[in-house]
Amino acid sequence: MTQHSSETLATFAATLRFEDIPETVVRRAEDLFLDWFGSALAGKGARPVEAIERFATTMGPGGDAEVLISRRKTTPLFAAMVNAASSHFAEQDDVHNGSVFHPAAVVFPPVLAVAQALGSSGRDLLVAAVAGYEVGIRVGEFLGRSHYRIFHTTGTAGTVAAAAATGRLLNLSPEQMLHAFGSAGTQAAGLWEFLRDAADSKQLHTAHAAAAGLTAAYLAKDGFTGARHILEGPQGLAAGMSKDADPARLTDRLGQRWALAETSFKFHSSCRHTHPAADALLQVVQEHQLRPEQIARVTAHVHQGAIDVLGPVVDPQTVHQAKFSMGTVLGLIAEFEQAGMKEFEHEFRQPRIAAFRDKVSMQLDSEVDTAYPVRWIGKVTVETSDGRTLNGRVDEPKGDPGNTLSREELEQKALRLADFGGAASEVEMRTAFSRIWNLARTERVGRCFD
């Protein structure tokens, strides 16, 4: 009997073995885990993250899973919830271009928490992470561009990704995994409306997705059933949340195409939709040695998704909202040649940055829009105060697989993020790095911090 798409995807996730995964993909999974680890630490002290941590402290009994920002031990459910919220705060967590999905923030929190609780091996952790990435990315691609216009894909597809990752650690059967998908998908949620109000919902999206997916997998292990066609069924996710869903994307070259290896690291501490233009402007600024006062106007040539997500942010009132303001990001690039955590924290409301923001506009570009979301091309036109018109173009933003970060760069990024939040010392981080690079040889996953 021929399997339907959801069933094929669930079977893949349930039966994936370490030996099935190419070594290069395993190494990339380690890189992504370290990158996520730094982002999770950067959320320490952030008001919405600390609120979710207080909620977890109130609701969650003790356990063996680790909340990274407080080093408190709790149940896997609440550790996954807090770590997911924390890792999505700094806007430094990874992104898969084609699905416009942030896998790490919803995959690694439940994977780490459950592995710690079960005493799983490092290999088990890595296999579960790969399963979560492969499933979540394909669900995001399946839901398509129309979905992302209204829904935050990391909050929706993220529930299924978390279920796949957790389910693999729990050794669910293919049938149980399919039920986990059903229970996860029926909880999928996350709307972009929060951006208009500078609300805290983005951290709740990842916290909920990680917790909902974990819950779905544990329930499936206990015989709880879910919709068998939750993704492509007549009243499933696509029916309610998409106008251009493509079921073929769910099973696209399973076991041959490793979507995890296509995932990009974020270089700038801002929404990924700002990165291509930021890199293109940086190119122009450095090539022509421009100062901000020499720039009269910047036009960022973008895809429609950038306009949909960034367009509502006209006058950012918080650091987090500023990370979704194209004008603010480009102002920081023009002023400091970088848009990192400290630049946002201390400079986003400075008069000179606000003044630069008013010089920036976004314009839909047919080439950029056609290439998106598989490719995120950066194009800017810069008009100078002395009458010149300068153009910048970047075909692969910094952090994309073809322009990736080295392990040394990833470590330096993680050190900056941990330092920003005051979450760990350099010595502690170096020890954690060593553990992460040796995950495939680790017999039992323990605490990240002793």
mmCIF file of all heavy atoms in Angstrom, residues 337-361:
data_model
loop_
_atom_site.group_PDB
_atom_site.id
_atom_site.type_symbol
_atom_site.label_atom_id
_atom_site.label_comp_id
_atom_site.label_asym_id
_atom_site.label_seq_id
_atom_site.Cartn_x
_atom_site.Cartn_y
_atom_site.Cartn_z
ATOM 1 N N GLU A 337 29.419 49.870 10.630
ATOM 2 C CA GLU A 337 29.805 48.769 9.737
ATOM 3 C C GLU A 337 29.487 47.407 10.354
ATOM 4 O O GLU A 337 30.077 46.393 9.996
ATOM 5 C CB GLU A 337 31.278 48.865 9.321
ATOM 6 C CG GLU A 337 31.577 50.128 8.528
ATOM 7 C CD GLU A 337 32.946 50.127 7.874
ATOM 8 O OE1 GLU A 337 33.642 49.082 7.948
ATOM 9 O OE2 GLU A 337 33.323 51.150 7.288
ATOM 10 N N GLN A 338 28.545 47.387 11.278
ATOM 11 C CA GLN A 338 28.038 46.145 11.848
ATOM 12 C C GLN A 338 26.732 46.454 12.574
ATOM 13 O O GLN A 338 26.470 47.601 12.948
ATOM 14 C CB GLN A 338 29.030 45.494 12.811
ATOM 15 C CG GLN A 338 29.418 46.356 13.996
ATOM 16 C CD GLN A 338 30.495 45.691 14.846
ATOM 17 O OE1 GLN A 338 31.154 44.729 14.425
ATOM 18 N NE2 GLN A 338 30.689 46.183 16.044
ATOM 19 N N ALA A 339 25.928 45.430 12.747
ATOM 20 C CA ALA A 339 24.652 45.576 13.451
ATOM 21 C C ALA A 339 24.548 44.427 14.444
ATOM 22 O O ALA A 339 23.804 43.474 14.245
ATOM 23 C CB ALA A 339 23.490 45.569 12.469
ATOM 24 N N GLY A 340 25.331 44.554 15.512
ATOM 25 C CA GLY A 340 25.389 43.513 16.524
ATOM 26 C C GLY A 340 24.529 43.835 17.727
ATOM 27 O O GLY A 340 23.828 44.852 17.782
ATOM 28 N N MET A 341 24.605 42.963 18.729
ATOM 29 C CA MET A 341 23.790 43.122 19.927
ATOM 30 C C MET A 341 24.027 44.467 20.607
ATOM 31 O O MET A 341 23.089 45.160 20.997
ATOM 32 C CB MET A 341 24.094 41.982 20.899
ATOM 33 C CG MET A 341 23.713 40.612 20.393
ATOM 34 S SD MET A 341 21.928 40.357 20.302
ATOM 35 C CE MET A 341 21.520 40.340 22.045
ATOM 36 N N LYS A 342 25.279 44.835 20.759
ATOM 37 C CA LYS A 342 25.592 46.068 21.477
ATOM 38 C C LYS A 342 25.172 47.298 20.697
ATOM 39 O O LYS A 342 24.734 48.296 21.290
ATOM 40 C CB LYS A 342 27.079 46.108 21.816
ATOM 41 C CG LYS A 342 27.482 45.059 22.843
ATOM 42 C CD LYS A 342 28.957 45.135 23.217
ATOM 43 C CE LYS A 342 29.282 44.107 24.293
ATOM 44 N NZ LYS A 342 30.720 44.122 24.681
ATOM 45 N N GLU A 343 25.310 47.250 19.385
ATOM 46 C CA GLU A 343 24.869 48.385 18.568
ATOM 47 C C GLU A 343 23.361 48.605 18.727
ATOM 48 O O GLU A 343 22.902 49.735 18.913
ATOM 49 C CB GLU A 343 25.217 48.165 17.095
ATOM 50 C CG GLU A 343 26.689 48.344 16.771
ATOM 51 C CD GLU A 343 27.539 47.182 17.232
ATOM 52 O OE1 GLU A 343 27.031 46.036 17.271
ATOM 53 O OE2 GLU A 343 28.715 47.412 17.572
ATOM 54 N N PHE A 344 22.596 47.528 18.670
ATOM 55 C CA PHE A 344 21.152 47.674 18.848
ATOM 56 C C PHE A 344 20.816 48.152 20.259
ATOM 57 O O PHE A 344 19.984 49.047 20.448
ATOM 58 C CB PHE A 344 20.442 46.340 18.575
ATOM 59 C CG PHE A 344 20.148 46.108 17.130
ATOM 60 C CD1 PHE A 344 20.928 45.242 16.384
ATOM 61 C CD2 PHE A 344 19.098 46.767 16.507
ATOM 62 C CE1 PHE A 344 20.656 45.015 15.042
ATOM 63 C CE2 PHE A 344 18.816 46.554 15.167
ATOM 64 C CZ PHE A 344 19.606 45.681 14.431
ATOM 65 N N GLU A 345 21.449 47.562 21.247
ATOM 66 C CA GLU A 345 21.123 47.866 22.634
ATOM 67 C C GLU A 345 21.369 49.334 22.991
ATOM 68 O O GLU A 345 20.582 49.950 23.700
ATOM 69 C CB GLU A 345 21.944 46.964 23.568
ATOM 70 C CG GLU A 345 21.546 47.038 25.022
ATOM 71 C CD GLU A 345 20.237 46.327 25.310
ATOM 72 O OE1 GLU A 345 19.809 45.486 24.492
ATOM 73 O OE2 GLU A 345 19.645 46.613 26.363
ATOM 74 N N HIS A 346 22.449 49.887 22.464
ATOM 75 C CA HIS A 346 22.856 51.223 22.893
ATOM 76 C C HIS A 346 22.596 52.330 21.875
ATOM 77 O O HIS A 346 22.650 53.507 22.230
ATOM 78 C CB HIS A 346 24.351 51.216 23.247
ATOM 79 C CG HIS A 346 24.712 50.240 24.313
ATOM 80 N ND1 HIS A 346 24.205 50.307 25.597
ATOM 81 C CD2 HIS A 346 25.526 49.144 24.286
ATOM 82 C CE1 HIS A 346 24.692 49.306 26.318
ATOM 83 N NE2 HIS A 346 25.487 48.590 25.558
ATOM 84 N N GLU A 347 22.338 51.970 20.624
ATOM 85 C CA GLU A 347 22.338 53.000 19.588
ATOM 86 C C GLU A 347 21.049 53.145 18.794
ATOM 87 O O GLU A 347 20.890 54.133 18.073
ATOM 88 C CB GLU A 347 23.485 52.716 18.583
ATOM 89 C CG GLU A 347 24.859 52.561 19.205
ATOM 90 C CD GLU A 347 25.424 53.868 19.751
ATOM 91 O OE1 GLU A 347 24.871 54.939 19.420
ATOM 92 O OE2 GLU A 347 26.414 53.809 20.497
ATOM 93 N N PHE A 348 20.115 52.200 18.893
ATOM 94 C CA PHE A 348 19.011 52.220 17.923
ATOM 95 C C PHE A 348 18.136 53.462 18.036
ATOM 96 O O PHE A 348 17.520 53.875 17.061
ATOM 97 C CB PHE A 348 18.178 50.935 18.035
ATOM 98 C CG PHE A 348 16.996 51.011 18.959
ATOM 99 C CD1 PHE A 348 15.731 51.347 18.485
ATOM 100 C CD2 PHE A 348 17.138 50.739 20.317
ATOM 101 C CE1 PHE A 348 14.641 51.408 19.334
ATOM 102 C CE2 PHE A 348 16.048 50.793 21.164
ATOM 103 C CZ PHE A 348 14.798 51.135 20.670
ATOM 104 N N ARG A 349 18.106 54.107 19.190
ATOM 105 C CA ARG A 349 17.258 55.293 19.358
ATOM 106 C C ARG A 349 18.047 56.597 19.283
ATOM 107 O O ARG A 349 17.482 57.672 19.496
ATOM 108 C CB ARG A 349 16.514 55.227 20.696
ATOM 109 C CG ARG A 349 15.602 54.019 20.798
ATOM 110 C CD ARG A 349 14.639 54.110 21.948
ATOM 111 N NE ARG A 349 13.545 55.033 21.658
ATOM 112 C CZ ARG A 349 12.417 55.089 22.355
ATOM 113 N NH1 ARG A 349 12.243 54.299 23.392
ATOM 114 N NH2 ARG A 349 11.464 55.940 22.030
ATOM 115 N N GLN A 350 19.322 56.499 19.003
ATOM 116 C CA GLN A 350 20.133 57.714 18.887
ATOM 117 C C GLN A 350 19.622 58.561 17.713
ATOM 118 O O GLN A 350 19.239 58.024 16.664
ATOM 119 C CB GLN A 350 21.601 57.361 18.683
ATOM 120 C CG GLN A 350 22.260 56.689 19.889
ATOM 121 C CD GLN A 350 22.268 57.587 21.115
ATOM 122 O OE1 GLN A 350 22.460 58.807 21.022
ATOM 123 N NE2 GLN A 350 22.032 56.988 22.275
ATOM 124 N N PRO A 351 19.632 59.883 17.858
ATOM 125 C CA PRO A 351 19.089 60.751 16.800
ATOM 126 C C PRO A 351 19.699 60.512 15.429
ATOM 127 O O PRO A 351 18.996 60.561 14.414
ATOM 128 C CB PRO A 351 19.402 62.160 17.321
ATOM 129 C CG PRO A 351 19.437 62.010 18.814
ATOM 130 C CD PRO A 351 20.021 60.650 19.062
ATOM 131 N N ARG A 352 21.006 60.232 15.379
ATOM 132 C CA ARG A 352 21.641 60.052 14.071
ATOM 133 C C ARG A 352 21.161 58.772 13.387
ATOM 134 O O ARG A 352 21.067 58.709 12.159
ATOM 135 C CB ARG A 352 23.166 60.051 14.209
ATOM 136 C CG ARG A 352 23.741 58.912 15.036
ATOM 137 C CD ARG A 352 25.255 59.114 15.265
ATOM 138 N NE ARG A 352 25.869 58.005 15.972
ATOM 139 C CZ ARG A 352 25.808 57.844 17.291
ATOM 140 N NH1 ARG A 352 25.131 58.707 18.042
ATOM 141 N NH2 ARG A 352 26.400 56.820 17.874
ATOM 142 N N ILE A 353 20.838 57.731 14.188
ATOM 143 C CA ILE A 353 20.311 56.490 13.605
ATOM 144 C C ILE A 353 18.873 56.700 13.152
ATOM 145 O O ILE A 353 18.473 56.268 12.066
ATOM 146 C CB ILE A 353 20.400 55.329 14.611
ATOM 147 C CG1 ILE A 353 21.852 55.106 15.043
ATOM 148 C CG2 ILE A 353 19.822 54.056 14.005
ATOM 149 C CD1 ILE A 353 22.810 54.778 13.920
ATOM 150 N N ALA A 354 18.099 57.411 13.973
ATOM 151 C CA ALA A 354 16.713 57.707 13.592
ATOM 152 C C ALA A 354 16.667 58.560 12.328
ATOM 153 O O ALA A 354 15.811 58.359 11.456
ATOM 154 C CB ALA A 354 16.012 58.427 14.741
ATOM 155 N N ALA A 355 17.609 59.500 12.216
ATOM 156 C CA ALA A 355 17.654 60.355 11.025
ATOM 157 C C ALA A 355 18.001 59.535 9.789
ATOM 158 O O ALA A 355 17.437 59.743 8.704
ATOM 159 C CB ALA A 355 18.673 61.478 11.224
ATOM 160 N N PHE A 356 18.910 58.587 9.931
ATOM 161 C CA PHE A 356 19.284 57.740 8.796
ATOM 162 C C PHE A 356 18.113 56.861 8.389
ATOM 163 O O PHE A 356 17.906 56.607 7.197
ATOM 164 C CB PHE A 356 20.500 56.884 9.136
ATOM 165 C CG PHE A 356 21.143 56.251 7.932
ATOM 166 C CD1 PHE A 356 22.206 56.862 7.296
ATOM 167 C CD2 PHE A 356 20.663 55.057 7.400
ATOM 168 C CE1 PHE A 356 22.797 56.299 6.165
ATOM 169 C CE2 PHE A 356 21.240 54.483 6.276
ATOM 170 C CZ PHE A 356 22.309 55.115 5.659
ATOM 171 N N ARG A 357 17.353 56.405 9.367
ATOM 172 C CA ARG A 357 16.204 55.552 9.074
ATOM 173 C C ARG A 357 15.264 56.221 8.073
ATOM 174 O O ARG A 357 14.692 55.562 7.201
ATOM 175 C CB ARG A 357 15.467 55.253 10.382
ATOM 176 C CG ARG A 357 14.332 54.263 10.247
ATOM 177 C CD ARG A 357 13.729 53.940 11.610
ATOM 178 N NE ARG A 357 13.039 55.065 12.192
ATOM 179 C CZ ARG A 357 13.209 55.511 13.432
ATOM 180 N NH1 ARG A 357 14.077 54.913 14.245
ATOM 181 N NH2 ARG A 357 12.511 56.533 13.882
ATOM 182 N N ASP A 358 15.124 57.527 8.198
ATOM 183 C CA ASP A 358 14.226 58.257 7.300
ATOM 184 C C ASP A 358 14.770 58.370 5.876
ATOM 185 O O ASP A 358 14.034 58.755 4.962
ATOM 186 C CB ASP A 358 13.966 59.657 7.866
ATOM 187 C CG ASP A 358 13.202 59.616 9.180
ATOM 188 O OD1 ASP A 358 12.495 58.614 9.409
ATOM 189 O OD2 ASP A 358 13.331 60.558 9.969
ATOM 190 N N LYS A 359 16.050 58.027 5.699
ATOM 191 C CA LYS A 359 16.646 58.058 4.361
ATOM 192 C C LYS A 359 16.423 56.756 3.595
ATOM 193 O O LYS A 359 16.740 56.663 2.411
ATOM 194 C CB LYS A 359 18.161 58.294 4.439
ATOM 195 C CG LYS A 359 18.601 59.573 5.129
ATOM 196 C CD LYS A 359 20.137 59.619 5.181
ATOM 197 C CE LYS A 359 20.663 60.843 5.898
ATOM 198 N NZ LYS A 359 22.159 60.864 5.936
ATOM 199 N N VAL A 360 15.912 55.740 4.286
ATOM 200 C CA VAL A 360 15.845 54.388 3.728
ATOM 201 C C VAL A 360 14.428 54.049 3.273
ATOM 202 O O VAL A 360 13.448 54.339 3.964
ATOM 203 C CB VAL A 360 16.314 53.355 4.773
ATOM 204 C CG1 VAL A 360 16.134 51.929 4.249
ATOM 205 C CG2 VAL A 360 17.778 53.607 5.144
ATOM 206 N N SER A 361 14.327 53.438 2.109
ATOM 207 C CA SER A 361 13.047 52.919 1.633
ATOM 208 C C SER A 361 13.265 51.526 1.064
ATOM 209 O O SER A 361 14.373 51.170 0.655
ATOM 210 C CB SER A 361 12.445 53.835 0.570
ATOM 211 O OG SER A 361 13.274 53.887 -0.581
#
